[in-house]
Amino acid sequence: MADNEVKMQRIAGHSEDRFLGSDVFESGGRNLPPPRRGGTVREDARDIDIYHQCDVVVIGGGPAGCAAAWAAAKAGADVTLVERYNHLGGLSTGGMVMWIDRMTDWQGNHVIQGFAREFIERMPADAVAGPPRIDWGSTDKGKAAYWGQRTTAFHGIVCWAPTIDPERMKLNNQEMLLEAGVRIVFHAWAARPLVEHGVAKGVIFESKAGRNALLAKVVIDTTGDGDMFARAGADFDTDIEEGDVHHSMNTGWVLGGVDMDRWIDWKVHNPDQLRQFMDRGREELGFFQTPYVSWRSDIALFLGPRQSGLSALDVDDMTEVEIRSHRLMEGHCHFFRKHAPGFDNAYSLQSGNQLGVRHTRRLAGIGRIERKDWANGVPAADEVGISPSLSPKFPVLSVPYGAIVPRSLDGLLVGGRHISCDANSHGFMREIPQCWMTGHAAGAAAAVAANRGVQPREVDVNEVRALLRSQGAHLSDDAAVAAAGQASVAAE
């Protein structure tokens, strides 16, 4: 890559508490000239046809959106899901983020269940790669070393963090939602929410048929970027942790025809040669990334190089990342085929059709997940989910219902990476299992709100918890949650 094309500065992308440590690259060079901005045009006012009316509309069919639609429909709600692509699964499928982060705590207990567990258990056995159940929580050095090279053991502990075939995940999502009775609308971009007197009433979406309206009792924003709540006027946060991988972007890709076992054996036993290999890659390609395993030993997964200093809310920045990433895919393929053991017959197989976005907006909710609470080990008084913690020095993290409810906007809930949390907590609350978990909670709460004829902020969280538990979610004991509520009231 030419020097005048990319000027980059390597900044640290990991710490003792981060997984899959990686360089993050900040680039100054651009491939396209800036657009000729300026002035305005007036869009004609017009009446818009109503496409459908339902109880719950879910905007975005990623992990959170699929879980939300499934949960609400299973609870008896009439649900419609609007998805801009031709498939479901979001970044887990179209973004090639087929590595699913930990769903177990550091003792091997399965804490993210519900939709997530049913989804994985429905997958064909040959589509899922990960440690057997008996090894979850194991500290055996041999097992931890083996699975650590396969992205499912961290801090010397084997976890449940499988890698799954993205194409069959697309089908699995689709069939689970259809079986639950969800109306799916593919190839449709939700343009803006319909809001009356501070209450979301539905959305306007664009498709080949033009603009249509979709009315609902509850809107669930699972766009990942908070597009609906932001355009509806809800408050949100955008601060980030500088130098952290969790705000960077990239397009993922996979190479076929490889021997990942041979590659792993070489890099483990030749650390000095690996460092030389990495230095050469950075020198020749500028941006450089080593591969992760996939669900097959003959396919290598690349989730980078991560690029910072660019915004996923800016169409020019997003275009820039795509241009670089597709060049890098081909550059990496040639470099690895020439220099890397196990890549002699590698070829470019597929790139993600969705940009790998990690952070844009985070809801400002009536509750919030914060770094200061990681160590307290006390369930939230309005708990609707439990997340594994970032490292063994922290207990599991209780997720409050308030983290998915806007402070002032009614008629809307959120699920996924844009829930209400601080920048530190976002680093792991944005992962796919956590998106499944918060989406599941949003879908259950939306069904309760629609059924009771109340606003989402007014639902009985105990009813939501009972519904979540009936759908297989793992939650803290009711008595512990009640005690936390009483302590909170006493503190006030």
Side-chain angles (χ1 to χ4, degrees):
M1 192 170 289
D3 289 340
N4 61 354
E5 213 169 308
V6 174
K7 241 172 142 177
M8 60 87 178
Q9 173 189 5
R10 280 180 52 211
I11 54 180
H14 61 276
S15 74
E16 64 174 5
D17 291 329
R18 297 301 185 193
F19 304 148
L20 305 185
S22 171
D23 290 341
V24 180
F25 296 89
E26 174 130 19
S27 169
R30 302 294 291 240
N31 286 284
L32 294 175
R36 298 186 181 93
R37 299 182 187 273
T40 62
V41 298
R42 180 173 295 275
E43 184 177 6
D44 294 335
R46 52 187 163 169
D47 292 329
I48 297 174
D49 290 336
I50 296 174
Y51 166 77
H52 185 60
Q53 301 181 50
C54 58
D55 294 327
V56 178
V57 60
V58 180
I59 309 303
C66 288
W70 176 85
K74 295 280 280 188
D78 179 356
V79 181
T80 301
L81 183 146
V82 179
E83 168 55 45
R84 61 173 164 160
Y85 294 105
N86 70 341
H87 64 271
L88 301 174
L91 285 178
S92 69
T93 57
M96 293 288 174
V97 189
M98 63 192 76
W99 170 69
I100 311 300
D101 205 345
R102 296 169 307 114
M103 287 169 280
T104 50
D105 64 16
W106 297 105
Q107 290 72 47
N109 300 306
H110 199 176
V111 297
I112 295 186
Q113 297 192 40
F115 176 85
R117 180 170 181 171
E118 182 158 339
F119 179 84
I120 294 175
E121 288 181 349
R122 285 177 54 122
M123 291 294 297
D126 66 343
V128 181
R133 175 66 183 87
I134 194 173
D135 287 342
W136 298 357
S138 174
T139 56
D140 178 85
K141 291 184 178 180
K143 292 178 179 179
Y146 177 86
W147 289 112
Q149 293 297 328
R150 290 158 179 83
T151 59
T152 190
F154 311 96
H155 300 288
I157 301 171
V158 179
C159 305
W160 180 229
T163 305
I164 308 178
D165 180 346
E167 286 303 318
R168 285 190 275 185
M169 279 200 285
K170 292 178 184 178
L171 179 61
N172 195 27
N173 278 306
Q174 172 184 294
E175 296 308 300
M176 285 182 69
L177 267 57
L178 292 176
E179 289 172 16
V182 176
R183 176 188 293 271
I184 301 172
V185 184
F186 284 134
H187 301 290
W189 183 294
R192 69 179 183 86
L194 293 168
V195 181
E196 296 178 6
H197 308 296
V199 181
K201 298 289 187 178
V203 298
I204 293 174
F205 69 89
E206 296 268 6
S207 72
K208 288 290 187 178
R211 289 169 76 86
N212 281 270
L214 206 163
L215 306 183
K217 297 175 183 176
V218 180
V219 177
I220 303 180
D221 185 340
T222 50
T223 59
D225 300 308
D227 294 337
M228 293 300 101
F229 69 67
R231 292 170 191 173
D235 294 333
F236 57 87
D237 297 311
T238 59
D239 57 306
I240 60 174
E241 286 293 312
E242 294 290 345
D244 195 311
V245 66
H246 297 289
H247 68 268
S248 57
M249 287 192 290
N250 63 275
T251 297
W253 70 77
V254 289
L255 301 184
V258 308
D259 183 343
M260 283 300 289
D261 290 330
R262 183 182 165 205
W263 159 257
I264 291 171
D265 182 74
W266 175 80
K267 73 171 188 172
V268 167
H269 292 98
N270 298 277
D272 292 337
Q273 293 182 45
L274 177 63
R275 281 191 291 272
Q276 295 170 10
F277 174 85
M278 293 287 294
D279 289 342
R280 184 170 186 174
R282 291 174 182 131
E283 181 180 349
E284 292 191 16
L285 298 178
F287 301 133
F288 191 68
Q289 177 71 54
T290 52
Y292 304 119
V293 296
S294 74
W295 77 104
R296 294 171 56 108
S297 61
D298 59 349
I299 294 177
L301 168 65
F302 288 79
L303 293 176
R306 283 89 162 174
Q307 300 169 49
S308 69
L310 300 165
S311 171
L313 301 179
D314 185 309
V315 68
D316 294 327
D317 283 359
M318 296 168 75
T319 301
E320 180 67 29
V321 174
E322 296 285 14
I323 290 171
R324 296 178 187 172
S325 293
H326 286 92
R327 288 176 176 171
L328 287 163
M329 176 180 176
E330 190 65 9
H332 277 65
C333 182
H334 286 296
F335 182 87
F336 272 78
R337 190 164 56 216
K338 186 176 181 181
H339 301 295
F343 283 77
D344 314 65
N345 300 309
Y347 59 92
S348 295
L349 179 59
Q350 186 179 5
S351 60
N353 65 345
Q354 293 182 231
L355 183 62
V357 179
R358 294 170 175 82
H359 179 271
T360 48
R361 309 179 183 100
R362 305 188 313 278
L363 177 74
I366 61 174
R368 195 169 190 245
I369 300 169
E370 297 184 336
R371 170 68 177 79
K372 65 179 179 59
D373 298 325
W374 290 3
N376 65 27
V378 177
D382 58 345
E383 178 188 275
V384 290
I386 296 175
S387 169
S389 63
L390 193 61
S391 81
K393 65 186 180 184
F394 299 113
V396 293
L397 183 70
S398 180
V399 177
Y401 179 59
I404 66 175
V405 182
R407 288 177 184 167
S408 57
L409 179 67
D410 278 321
L412 185 141
L413 290 165
V414 310
R417 70 171 183 254
H418 54 223
I419 66 167
S420 180
C421 62
D422 62 18
N424 287 114
S425 303
H426 177 266
F428 62 97
M429 288 307 301
R430 69 173 180 84
E431 298 289 356
I432 289 164
Q434 284 79 358
C435 290
W436 277 332
M437 179 253 291
T438 56
H440 189 175
V448 171
N451 180 54
R452 298 296 185 190
V454 300
Q455 292 300 330
R457 73 181 65 253
E458 298 168 349
V459 301
D460 181 349
V461 177
N462 289 326
E463 183 177 358
V464 176
R465 283 172 52 82
L467 177 55
L468 286 168
R469 193 172 274 124
S470 74
Q471 294 180 345
H474 173 73
L475 298 169
S476 297
D477 180 81
D478 288 340
V481 171
Q486 292 169 0
S488 177
V489 171
E492 294 176 359

